[in-house]
Amino acid sequence: MIEKTYNPKGIEEKWYDFWNKKGYFHADSKSDKPPFCIVIPPPNVTGSLHIGHALDVTLQDILIRWKRMSGFNTLWLPGTDHAGIATQNVVEKELKKQGLDRHKLGREEFVKKVWEWKEQYGGRIIHQLKSLGASCDWSRERFTLDKGLSIAVKEVFVRLHKEGLVYRGDYIINWCPQCRTALSDLEVDHEEKKGKLYYIKYQFADDSGHVVVATTRPETLLGDTAVAVNPEDKRYKGILGKILKLPLLGREIPVIADEFVDISFGTGAVKVTPAHDPNDFEIAGRHGLPFIKIMTGEGKMTMEAGPYYGQERFECREKVLKDLEAADLLLKVDEHTLSLGYCYRCKTIVEPYLSKQWFVKMKPLAERAISAVKDGRVKIIPSGWINSYLDWMENIKDWCISRQIWWGHRIPVWYCKDMRSTECKVQNGIIVSAEIPEACPHCGAGASALVQDEDVLDTWFSSALWPFSTLGWPDETEDLRTFYPTNVLITGFDILFFWVARMIMMGLKFMNKVPFNHTYIHALIRADSGQKMSKSKGNVVDPLEMTDIYGTDSFRFTLTAFAAQGRDIKFSEKRVEGYRHFINKIWNAARFVLVNLGKDEEIAPVKDSLYLSLADKWILSRFSSVASEVNKSLEEYRFNDSANLLYQFVWHEFCDWYLEMTKPALYGKDENSKKAAVDTLVHVFEATLGLLHPFIPFVTEELWQYLPIGNRTESLCIRRFPTKADGIEDKDAEYKMGLIMDAVSGIRNIRGELNLPPSLELNVTIKTPDKTTDILNENISYISKLAKTANIEIGHDVRKPEDAAVSIKPGMEIFVPLKGLFNVEAEVKRLNKEINKIEGAL
RNA sequence: GCGGGUGUAGCUCAGCUGGUAGAGCACAACCUUGACAAGGUUGGGGUCGCGGGUUCGAAUCCCGUCGCCCGCUCCA
């Protein structure tokens, strides 16, 4: 006999190894079964599992296990991401502890170190995924820097370049002076901060007065090449074209007119710093202004900054302000809230910076991705995200894809130093090639004249190809034919733009088909305070700690029950404990089933039995509708609904009612009834384990092994997933049981008149109201409920009771046999005791 | 500025297409009854943010309002 409480230790590892070794997770690209494929959102290779992953993985595993059991050829493709900047930063931090930095090591040595790091920690997250029960096909595991995926990356870059969708140019990009690399717009986090707005006098060169401009970054005036006003601004009509003396440096700059300037903000006059502000950059383009770089990639001032040369950017700001004040050029300082950009990896304030970078032209790619969502080829669930998606896509800007770091896919571009031909000069000596070129294709210069671009690609460039690069693209593999497009992508909304949108664009571009038909965006898990979980706040819940204390099944079930669509989740450990009790309840229900089984008992199909009791019919019918509801809710990604349905059914119907009501038959002398009861009990319990398996795979597999079901497969995880046909629909039984349940629940209220016989049988009469008007005035909702239970269609207008009373007529009496309630006797004793107590007190 | 979400029991949250307010935890009382004390039975506790409207009937639909939260975007 099995233990009284469920202890997951040992059981989880045992079954995971078993499933894995048996090859149940392996997908067959030649199978006749319909394919069902999910590619995992690849976690950071050196990362460790956080609770968001746990939710993500649990939901995917539920779908995969459910589809596998439902007869699909399932592929859940696992893998990891090299996570460019993130990983490089971690390794650099580690080197710093050893007194090293990457520049001392040199590129080759450094990259080697990162690979070593990857080898050392890369397996950790995979191991953690397995401990959650993730039924991935590990034979197909991928890493974004794998050879195959690298080929795909180069191929995409080359093809996009050929079509003019990849270009190189000087633009203002977001620059992190700490990481010393460009960042895409998405990699910048904005935060509102209280800052100051400084009003500075710019004097005319002819000493005929001054113009006041306002700025939040006074140090950038060192790079000003104009002051702009709105052409419509009457205040400044007279000064257009006049020359100003740049404060502190004395350099001469013109006053220009540009419509970009907002008349109502500040003084209506704007300093123009083309090399350090994206808007000013554009203004400069329109007016042919020079670009003066006053800052280096480290955030220090250049020679152009004159006396401020070499100063750090914020130090320089202070000095500039001091000097302005001394020169009586600082008119006033206002409080001003502004939103600052921070590097999403190192939290340093990002600097708008002019530099040469590679970009992807997004508009043409976005157009197709917009229509794919609009016409439903990609369905976003919940649909609330569609607006955000479209909004972003319709205002998309070009994507800066070059990063000045070393860990990642090196850009497949070489520069010819010789440029011996005009052709080569026209091309600026740029050679884009998937292979290492042996000579310059433009001018024939030898390999020694060619230098590869130093930069690597944004880490999201390779993830954008994930759904097809992992299946073998650009080769036309069997896997690609079978599993692309994938069925569903499950991820959090935080990477909707980073990743989901870009996959849709790339999938359409290179496969001509959307990468997935559905994408389910789940909620973000927050700490119970409602804040985002983060290490610095110390409010992180470690999933492995949860599984260690409560078991994987309890933890998975908690996450699933939490996963209501479209809202954030505040995590509470108490809920996990509650669901551990649920797991234990199932465990003990199994013990009940097992003690009521004879040794080697043959379990017959219940449909053949003529001796089914009301309770048997009822539970079979309930099972039928629960199975149908679970299938339906999973179909619609209502994970929490399916979890709650099962919780409700197992605990409050199967355990609370059915197990009690079947006892008289089980312990009775009638062999036929007993046989029918045992058959039903085992059958329903076994099928329920099937329904539960995708949610709580370990405990269900363990228990299933004890059940004597004929013609069984060797594992529950490949058992056919139950449908409503595994029960027997019997609305009449449900109706009658509903009345019994109502009556029993009402025992307390009618106890004064209750005269229960000592035997376990009694009759309860439920009398419907006498008059139609009573029904109308007081009992419409009651009638409505009864009608619902009895599955009677009532008219839309319940004000016409004759419609409602099709089978429940006014004054009609319904007799309900309350038979075999095991604990009625004890309940009566208790009630009488309490009544006596009350009477005694009176 | 634009968009989205949310306000339900002491706490964390469910409540699909309108029909007598639910779960877990916490609390109180009783019960070791042949699966289960990680249990059972019963109970206390809610003006479903506030104000209107539609309806026989609204937590649910509509309008307004207050509070909290989250995205995107601009600001010199």
Side-chain angles (χ1 to χ4, degrees):
Chain A
M1 181 39 55
I2 57 179
E3 300 289 323
K4 223 170 173 179
T5 51
Y6 172 58
N7 179 7
K9 293 252 156 63
I11 289 179
E12 299 180 354
E13 294 80 1
K14 176 180 79 181
W15 287 117
Y16 196 90
D17 285 349
F18 177 79
W19 297 326
N20 206 16
K21 279 194 187 118
K22 286 282 182 181
Y24 297 146
F25 302 160
H26 185 73
D28 178 5
S29 58
K30 293 198 175 81
S31 164
D32 300 333
K33 297 179 186 170
F36 183 86
C37 177
I38 298 179
V39 290
I40 203 169
N44 181 343
V45 67
T46 61
S48 74
L49 196 75
H50 63 68
I51 196 157
H53 292 127
L55 173 65
D56 206 55
V57 165
T58 299
L59 298 184
Q60 291 176 68
D61 195 47
I62 288 171
L63 286 183
I64 285 284
R65 284 179 187 270
W66 167 56
K67 285 292 182 181
R68 183 182 298 121
M69 290 171 77
S70 301
F72 286 79
N73 174 28
T74 51
L75 167 58
W76 185 9
L77 194 147
T80 48
D81 193 281
H82 67 281
I85 300 176
T87 306
Q88 171 153 337
N89 282 356
V90 173
V91 177
E92 283 196 89
K93 235 178 239 168
E94 202 53 36
L95 287 176
K96 206 172 173 185
K97 282 184 202 159
Q98 305 167 21
L100 289 167
D101 74 61
R102 65 170 164 128
H103 300 286
K104 274 184 205 157
L105 278 178
R107 182 164 192 145
E108 210 168 305
E109 272 303 304
F110 177 75
V111 170
K112 221 166 103 188
K113 280 263 186 250
V114 186
W115 274 106
E116 280 169 21
W117 181 269
K118 186 248 166 192
E119 295 308 325
Q120 196 175 342
Y121 294 102
R124 191 173 50 176
I125 193 141
I126 296 297
H127 178 75
Q128 292 174 334
L129 292 180
K130 288 179 181 172
S131 78
L132 276 177
S135 59
C136 301
D137 183 349
W138 297 105
S139 71
R140 286 178 166 88
E141 185 186 339
R142 296 286 185 271
F143 175 52
T144 46
L145 284 177
D146 278 353
K147 196 173 171 204
L149 274 68
S150 300
I151 290 171
V153 165
K154 285 180 209 156
E155 182 73 21
V156 164
F157 187 96
V158 171
R159 284 204 209 174
L160 286 175
H161 181 261
K162 217 173 253 168
E163 291 186 43
L165 291 173
V166 153
Y167 64 93
R168 186 182 193 230
D170 286 296
Y171 293 93
I172 297 272
I173 43 83
N174 306 293
W175 181 270
C176 174
Q178 177 69 36
C179 303
R180 278 186 250 168
T181 177
L183 299 171
S184 71
D185 291 339
L186 284 175
E187 289 168 314
V188 178
D189 290 334
H190 294 275
E191 214 174 302
E192 291 260 305
K193 273 276 149 69
K194 280 209 171 114
K196 295 202 163 63
L197 187 60
Y198 304 94
Y199 291 79
I200 301 166
K201 292 186 209 168
Y202 281 44
Q203 286 170 314
F204 289 112
D206 58 10
D207 286 330
S208 59
H210 64 260
V211 175
V212 179
V213 302
T215 180
T216 54
R217 295 190 298 154
E219 73 281 8
T220 61
L221 74 82
L222 302 170
D224 285 0
T225 57
V227 166
V229 297
N230 191 294
E232 303 298 317
D233 195 335
K234 288 177 188 130
R235 290 173 294 179
Y236 297 116
K237 271 266 147 71
I239 65 164
L240 280 178
K242 286 189 84 164
I243 301 299
L244 294 163
K245 227 165 44 187
L246 187 65
L248 307 179
L249 294 184
R251 187 151 46 72
E252 296 195 338
I253 60 174
V255 177
I256 60 167
D258 195 285
E259 287 180 350
F260 167 78
V261 181
D262 180 354
I263 297 176
S264 61
F265 190 89
T267 62
V270 185
K271 57 193 277 311
V272 182
T273 321
H276 294 278
D277 183 281
N279 293 315
D280 296 0
F281 177 83
E282 304 220 333
I283 294 176
R286 289 195 282 271
H287 297 270
L289 300 171
F291 299 81
I292 299 176
K293 279 175 90 162
I294 55 159
M295 224 179 272
T296 66
E298 287 91 9
K300 296 213 170 114
M301 308 314 286
T302 63
M303 299 286 269
E304 296 286 355
Y308 304 95
Y309 168 67
Q311 292 177 5
E312 191 273 334
R313 54 182 171 153
F314 296 119
E315 180 193 349
C316 175
R317 176 176 298 177
E318 294 309 313
K319 293 268 166 60
V320 164
L321 286 170
K322 221 177 194 175
D323 294 346
L324 284 173
E325 208 161 7
D328 197 23
L329 293 171
L330 187 60
L331 189 69
K332 63 167 176 170
V333 182
D334 277 355
E335 295 294 325
H336 182 68
T337 51
L338 66 167
S339 87
L340 285 175
Y342 295 84
C343 171
Y344 82 137
R345 284 302 171 200
C346 74
K347 304 297 166 211
T348 304
I349 294 180
V350 165
E351 197 66 38
Y353 191 67
L354 180 67
S355 66
K356 218 181 247 333
Q357 303 288 345
W358 286 94
F359 295 86
V360 177
K361 204 178 268 179
M362 298 303 268
K363 274 255 148 41
L365 295 170
E367 274 164 22
R368 295 180 68 188
I370 288 169
S371 53
V373 167
K374 278 189 176 165
D375 65 25
R377 272 174 292 152
V378 176
K379 195 171 161 200
I380 299 180
I381 302 143
S383 57
W385 292 109
I386 294 177
N387 273 343
S388 305
Y389 171 90
L390 292 177
D391 192 51
W392 188 72
M393 282 298 221
E394 276 157 10
N395 298 300
I396 200 162
K397 288 182 192 158
D398 285 356
W399 175 16
C400 175
I401 51 169
S402 42
R403 296 288 179 277
Q404 288 66 47
I405 57 172
W406 291 344
W407 175 242
H409 298 276
R410 190 135 173 204
I411 292 180
V413 168
W414 283 260
Y415 303 100
C416 174
K417 287 187 291 192
D418 289 4
M419 291 202 257
R420 292 186 206 155
S421 67
T422 39
E423 161 69 10
C424 195
K425 278 174 192 148
V426 169
Q427 300 287 338
N428 272 324
I430 293 175
I431 303 151
V432 178
S433 163
E435 308 294 331
I436 300 172
E438 282 168 15
C440 175
H442 309 308
C443 70
S448 60
L450 307 181
V451 187
Q452 185 170 8
D453 196 303
E454 292 292 327
D455 296 351
V456 301
L457 290 165
D458 181 2
T459 197
W460 297 100
F461 191 88
S462 55
S463 1
L465 319 179
W466 187 251
F468 51 91
S469 65
T470 51
L471 292 172
W473 190 89
D475 292 337
E476 282 185 32
T477 60
E478 195 87 33
D479 273 3
L480 201 57
R481 264 196 296 277
T482 309
F483 296 111
Y484 193 95
T486 67
N487 295 76
V488 57
L489 180 91
I490 297 191
T491 190
F493 72 83
D494 49 333
I495 52 177
L496 181 60
F497 306 131
F498 271 115
W499 192 48
V500 179
R502 286 167 179 164
M503 277 192 289
I504 296 175
M505 290 189 267
M506 290 301 192
L508 285 165
K509 177 74 191 165
F510 292 98
M511 293 297 296
N512 224 5
K513 272 186 204 159
V514 296
F516 32 78
N517 300 317
H518 294 169
T519 174
Y520 176 74
I521 310 290
H522 65 241
L524 202 69
I525 301 186
R526 297 175 182 281
D528 51 14
S529 61
Q531 287 184 311
K532 210 168 171 170
M533 284 192 190
S534 72
K535 277 182 200 157
S536 55
K537 283 181 192 141
N539 57 3
V540 177
V541 172
D542 181 357
L544 296 174
E545 202 178 299
M546 290 297 110
T547 56
D548 195 46
I549 300 172
Y550 301 103
T552 302
D553 289 324
S554 315
F555 183 57
R556 282 172 61 122
F557 204 82
T558 309
L559 292 173
T560 313
F562 263 131
Q565 283 187 3
R567 68 170 61 191
D568 289 352
I569 297 167
K570 283 183 210 150
F571 188 80
S572 136
E573 190 172 335
K574 284 288 180 193
R575 283 281 290 265
V576 190
E577 200 180 337
Y579 287 118
R580 180 182 60 176
H581 296 177
F582 175 57
I583 304 293
N584 201 48
K585 190 77 180 172
I586 296 168
W587 183 260
N588 279 294
R591 297 182 74 228
F592 178 84
V593 173
L594 294 174
V595 295
N596 286 296
L597 270 174
K599 271 236 161 19
D600 308 318
E601 188 151 1
E602 275 284 309
I603 298 302
V606 285
K607 287 186 186 187
D608 300 344
S609 175
L610 297 169
Y611 296 93
L612 296 176
S613 67
L614 174 65
D616 292 332
K617 288 179 186 165
W618 172 72
I619 200 68
L620 284 164
S621 187
R622 288 300 305 141
F623 182 86
S624 182
S625 68
V626 166
S628 149
E629 290 285 319
V630 168
N631 275 293
K632 198 175 147 206
S633 55
L634 286 176
E635 208 72 68
E636 295 167 3
Y637 305 102
R638 289 182 288 112
F639 295 97
N640 62 321
D641 284 353
S642 46
N644 289 329
L645 270 165
L646 285 164
Y647 183 90
Q648 182 68 26
F649 174 72
V650 170
W651 201 312
H652 299 302
E653 295 188 323
F654 186 76
C655 290
D656 285 356
W657 286 95
Y658 177 68
L659 293 191
E660 295 302 334
M661 295 200 66
T662 194
K663 280 173 182 174
L666 287 176
Y667 303 146
K669 297 221 168 84
D670 184 331
E671 284 305 317
N672 287 326
S673 302
K674 188 172 175 176
K675 180 88 182 84
V678 171
D679 288 348
T680 308
L681 180 65
V682 175
H683 171 79
V684 171
F685 186 70
E686 190 272 343
T688 302
L689 288 180
L691 282 184
L692 288 164
H693 181 259
F695 302 84
I696 45 174
F698 297 111
V699 67
T700 47
E701 178 77 282
E702 174 74 11
L703 289 175
W704 194 73
Q705 299 298 327
Y706 291 98
L707 296 177
I709 301 295
N711 290 332
R712 57 193 283 155
T713 51
E714 60 195 344
S715 164
L716 180 56
C717 89
I718 51 168
R719 179 206 191 276
R720 187 182 48 79
F721 193 75
T723 64
K724 66 178 177 185
D726 289 83
I728 300 169
E729 195 176 327
D730 188 339
K731 287 294 172 195
D732 185 52
E734 286 197 45
Y735 171 57
K736 285 179 181 160
M737 266 301 290
L739 295 176
I740 291 174
M741 288 155 88
D742 278 356
V744 172
S745 303
I747 279 179
R748 241 208 134 107
N749 299 329
I750 55 171
R751 67 187 173 210
E753 302 146 35
L754 195 65
N755 191 12
L756 291 171
S759 78
L760 298 179
E761 289 187 22
L762 79 160
N763 286 328
V764 173
T765 306
I766 294 173
K767 204 173 171 196
T768 56
D770 287 330
K771 290 179 192 164
T772 304
T773 50
D774 291 343
I775 299 174
L776 176 62
N777 295 332
E778 290 161 28
N779 293 290
I780 288 173
S781 61
Y782 180 66
I783 293 292
S784 163
K785 192 179 167 191
L786 284 182
K788 222 178 207 172
T789 316
N791 205 25
I792 299 162
E793 276 295 323
I794 57 173
H796 282 294
D797 191 355
V798 281
R799 279 170 296 176
K800 295 177 193 162
E802 55 274 22
D803 286 354
V806 177
S807 64
I808 305 165
K809 298 207 173 76
M812 180 176 156
E813 289 187 345
I814 303 166
F815 291 91
V816 181
L818 237 191
K819 187 177 176 181
L821 260 191
F822 190 74
N823 50 7
V824 161
E825 201 171 1
E827 180 66 12
V828 169
K829 265 191 210 160
R830 193 179 61 73
L831 285 174
N832 285 335
K833 220 162 129 189
E834 279 190 34
I835 290 169
N836 290 341
K837 241 198 238 169
I838 295 165
E839 280 171 352
L842 289 172

